[in-house]
Amino acid sequence: MEPLHALTSAPLDVAALVSAAAHAADQRAGHPGATGALSTFVGTARGRTAGRTVRHLEYEAYEPMALAALERIAGEVSQSWPGVTLLLHHRTGQVAPGEPSVVVVAASAHRAQACVASRYAIERLKQIAPIWKREVLDDGASWVEGATADPDDEAARAEARRRACA
Amino acid sequence: MRVTVRLFARLRELAGTGEFAAEVPAAATIAAVWDEVVRRHPPLAGYARAIACARNAQHARSDAPVAEGDEIAFLPPVSGG
């Protein structure tokens, strides 16, 4: 069975990850079929950026710290939405256009918590996980730089929650 | 004392290496480790304000002290997802 939180250089199997999240949520609830909602977010590599063709993306992670960030996000989700089990898997290495780079599955008994938690988790991942993306184009490559990774920035956490609950 | 420096993404490319040992004075802070990194890899000068730091894979402030054998990482703004 797939772990709930992982960085992997292998392709992400969305169906297998959704099943793994459902199974883990059922186990946590203590009986099979307890899960009634699986809210899945799949981020895929875009083949165009600013009008230019992307050959592929390359993801680099500081793996022990990135895994700790995924676990932290799952902990924040359990704190805010106690009935939700969260699966978070992120790719490393080369990802071709159209392929998944990240899969979030929030599993719970009912849809409302699952939907909010999955959005919150992807917003937080983008804020705090030490993972970097490099866009490789036909004529060069460049690092994408987004948020400054400070997990204790409460304003950032509040912004992720605001986006999730908007 | 000796610490291990880890650099990622743009910082790693600019330095030409993602991991190396650095010698810093006893009671040095993470900021002092960064100064040593920039001394060895001048293209990194000017990035100090844009980076986050970690000590042994945990977030740390630049004024935090370091100890012999620590792994000190410098992280450019992240872009996962």
Side-chain angles (χ1 to χ4, degrees):
Chain A
M1 186 57 72
E2 299 274 4
L4 281 180
H5 316 120
L7 294 141
T8 175
S9 59
L12 295 171
D13 179 342
V14 176
L17 295 176
V18 172
S19 297
H23 182 73
D26 280 358
Q27 281 203 321
R28 189 168 293 184
H31 57 101
T35 303
L38 292 157
S39 180
T40 303
F41 172 82
V42 181
T44 58
R46 263 191 298 277
R48 301 280 289 172
T49 182
R52 300 164 78 196
T53 300
V54 176
R55 278 191 196 166
H56 60 260
L57 301 180
E58 283 171 11
Y59 285 93
E60 176 174 336
Y62 184 13
E63 294 207 13
M65 200 173 169
L67 187 59
L70 301 186
E71 286 163 357
R72 177 189 175 114
I73 293 165
E76 290 178 358
V77 162
S78 320
Q79 210 176 47
S80 297
W81 301 285
V84 174
T85 296
L86 189 75
L87 176 143
L88 269 173
H89 280 224
H90 202 294
R91 278 293 312 274
T92 57
Q94 198 166 308
V95 180
E99 292 297 313
S101 55
V102 60
V103 175
V104 179
V105 186
S108 66
H110 300 282
R111 68 187 180 283
Q113 290 202 328
C115 289
V116 174
S118 70
R119 176 72 194 270
Y120 175 84
I122 186 63
E123 296 295 337
R124 283 298 272 162
L125 183 145
K126 284 175 166 284
Q127 288 176 342
I128 68 169
I131 300 172
W132 299 272
K133 168 168 38 199
R134 188 167 174 263
E135 293 174 336
V136 179
L137 311 176
D138 283 334
D139 55 349
S142 60
W143 289 101
V144 180
E145 293 186 348
T148 301
D150 180 356
D152 294 322
D153 180 345
E154 282 303 320
R157 189 174 173 186
E159 173 61 16
R161 179 180 267 282
R162 193 192 62 74
R163 289 188 183 193
C165 301
Chain B
M1 65 182 168
R2 184 176 281 251
V3 298
T4 300
V5 172
R6 300 287 306 271
L7 301 173
F8 293 91
R10 189 192 300 275
L11 302 179
R12 176 179 58 71
E13 275 194 351
L14 286 168
T17 175
E19 181 170 349
F20 55 92
E23 199 66 39
V24 292
T29 60
I30 290 176
V33 178
W34 175 253
D35 291 343
E36 172 61 14
V37 170
V38 170
R39 193 187 66 75
R40 285 167 62 157
H41 301 288
L44 297 183
Y47 278 87
R49 279 193 310 277
I51 57 176
C53 327
R55 177 179 175 223
N56 300 327
Q58 304 238 336
H59 270 280
R61 289 163 45 116
S62 61
D63 59 3
V66 302
E68 169 76 29
D70 277 355
E71 178 170 284
I72 305 301
F74 296 101
L75 316 173
V78 301
S79 53

